[in-house]
Amino acid sequence: QQQVKQSPQSLIVQKGGIPIINCAYENTAFDYFPWYQQFPGKGPALLIAIRPDVSEKKEGRFTISFNKSAKQFSLHIMDSQPGDSATYFCAVYSGGSNYKLTFGKGTLLTVNP
Amino acid sequence: DAGVIQSPRHEVTEMGQEVTLRCKPISGHDYLFWYRQTMMRGLELLIYFNNNVPIDDSGMPEDRFSAKMPNASFSTLKIQPSEPRDSAVYFCASSRPTGELFFGEGSRLTVL
């Protein structure tokens, strides 16, 4: 059972474009929604995260939009740069006794110069 | 401050051999996670520990896989016997109970 579904699998944009990556989840118990960024040969690293009490969070060029009723959240990258080329993973987390992060399958983003 | 340290970075072995992957978490982090990454299945949680105690091992594929955490600064993931389908990148991550995981650079395992 896939707890979080991520799309698209891959995405190519031109420099300056706004790539959007989407994730959908089923379990309403999730209460923390992070995005991780992974460069080749490296481990994933936290990029930005949101909790369900807000609908949007911005950090620099990265924005998470959160739609609680639709059980969806998305990552937007403003003014994308070639250095943003990486694999992006959404994740879901519920605290309490079962503390663990479950990741989406990932989106390979390529930003062309 | 040093991050999560994994060894070896690369391991090539033959089917049937025992493989041991090692992890040193960030000091002060009381959670430790082992993930496996493949193209087909993405990042899969294998097992995680809280204060050195295994909490959830439901992701461990089968009895050939075992993990230990003898103390707060060391964990191992062992595969015995290894099979070609175990080829993957294995990540260790540690965290406080904040939701932010800090990953190591991974151990790339190839089983011939």
Side-chain angles (χ1 to χ4, degrees):
Chain A
Q1 183 183 359
Q2 196 174 348
Q3 298 202 58
V4 57
K5 294 183 179 180
Q6 183 173 345
S7 62
Q9 277 190 301
S10 62
L11 189 54
I12 300 174
V13 300
Q14 293 298 119
K15 178 182 172 182
I18 306 176
I20 301 172
I21 305 170
N22 301 297
C23 280
Y25 63 96
E26 289 296 324
N27 190 339
T28 56
F30 296 134
D31 59 7
Y32 177 73
F33 303 88
W35 286 90
Y36 280 72
Q37 180 188 53
Q38 184 182 27
F39 293 105
K42 301 293 186 182
L46 179 66
L47 182 64
I48 186 173
I50 196 169
R51 295 200 182 270
D53 52 346
V54 296
S55 60
E56 186 177 275
K57 182 173 182 180
K58 290 184 181 180
E59 286 187 4
R61 295 183 295 104
F62 300 91
T63 300
I64 298 180
S65 297
F66 184 78
N67 186 328
K68 189 173 182 179
S69 60
K71 293 186 283 187
Q72 295 177 346
F73 59 110
S74 58
L75 176 69
H76 302 235
I77 305 176
M78 305 302 175
D79 187 26
S80 59
Q81 302 296 312
D84 297 329
S85 297
T87 300
Y88 292 82
F89 295 92
C90 63
V92 292
Y93 159 72
S94 56
S97 61
N98 195 13
Y99 168 71
K100 64 181 183 181
L101 233 54
T102 302
F103 288 86
K105 290 270 180 87
T107 297
L108 177 61
L109 172 66
T110 302
V111 182
N112 289 325
Chain B
D1 188 20
V4 175
I5 299 172
Q6 292 186 245
S7 65
R9 291 294 316 278
H10 301 274
E11 174 93 6
V12 180
T13 190
E14 294 191 345
M15 183 174 65
Q17 296 299 305
E18 178 178 293
V19 173
T20 299
L21 308 179
R22 298 172 176 80
C23 176
K24 177 178 168 57
I26 294 172
S27 177
H29 284 189
D30 41 14
Y31 286 86
L32 184 138
F33 304 81
W34 282 100
Y35 281 88
R36 177 171 68 176
Q37 185 175 35
T38 61
M39 288 295 293
M40 289 296 295
R41 302 172 72 90
L43 269 168
E44 300 175 277
L45 177 64
L46 300 178
I47 185 171
Y48 80 94
F49 297 82
N50 180 23
N51 292 322
N52 314 337
V53 176
I55 302 300
D56 185 342
D57 65 355
S58 60
M60 295 286 262
E62 49 198 272
D63 292 346
R64 298 185 296 107
F65 285 68
S66 62
K68 294 182 179 180
M69 191 165 186
N71 58 62
S73 59
F74 184 66
S75 177
T76 60
L77 178 67
K78 188 172 293 188
I79 309 172
Q80 166 64 17
S82 58
E83 297 182 3
R85 60 190 168 125
D86 302 330
S87 297
V89 181
Y90 291 82
F91 286 102
C92 175
S94 70
S95 78
R96 295 193 174 94
T98 60
E100 180 176 5
L101 270 60
F102 292 81
F103 283 80
E105 296 202 320
S107 294
R108 179 176 293 278
L109 173 65
T110 302
V111 184
L112 303 175

